[in-house]
Amino acid sequence: MERNTERNAERGSGRNARPTQRALVVLLLTALLAAGAWAVWLGWDQHHDQHLDGSVSGPYEAWQVVGLVLTLGVPVCWAAARGQAPGAVLGTTAGLTAAAFWDWSDDGSGLYVIGVGAVMVGSLAATAVVSLLTALATGSLGGGGHGGGNGAGHGPVRDNPPSGQ
């Protein structure tokens, strides 16, 4: 009986470390992916377009923003389907916010801060909704591992084995 308690304690101590490490990895990877995707889709286009009628647009075209959104949707949905939605939401938001800040901070008017705030709030809301819908569709809501559950890949930990064992 004492040996079972020791085994369960050993198994339980590693259980908290692994999901925490996995969540941190997801957060960091999605942050890096978001910043990199910003650079690929939006970072190279820095000029406003002046049209013949005198109107100005840009610097980004709609196809660039759609490409960014679709690119980031893949890792967010992947992580949410595996019970790692919080890391994907926070990582993607942090990466996009940092990239927008870096890209726009040379604006002399100081209004870039409003844009960066809009990117932060919008990406947080959008990734949260996408993650929630993905988690609901895949049954991984409240997961922390592959397909929900306690995230450790084991059944419930019992202090005492059931009678008869």
Side-chain angles (χ1 to χ4, degrees), residues 44-49 57-60:
W44 55 271
D45 195 357
Q46 300 296 317
H47 301 289
H48 292 277
D49 299 320
S57 66
Y60 313 122

Side-chain angles (χ1 to χ4, degrees), residues 26-120:
V26 167
L27 186 132
L28 292 174
L29 283 177
T30 54
L32 290 172
L33 282 169
W38 179 285
V40 168
W41 286 104
L42 306 178
W44 55 271
D45 195 357
Q46 300 296 317
H47 301 289
H48 292 277
D49 299 320
Q50 187 151 7
H51 303 285
L52 294 175
D53 64 358
S55 64
V56 178
S57 66
Y60 313 122
E61 299 292 331
W63 65 268
Q64 291 172 284
V65 177
V66 169
L68 175 65
V69 168
L70 293 176
T71 300
L72 294 177
V74 173
V76 168
C77 290
W78 182 85
R82 283 153 182 77
Q84 297 294 326
V89 169
L90 296 175
T92 302
T93 300
L96 287 177
T97 303
F101 182 86
W102 180 267
D103 194 16
W104 298 340
S105 63
D106 60 351
D107 174 37
S109 71
L111 291 175
Y112 74 93
V113 175
I114 295 170
V116 170
V119 167
M120 182 181 69

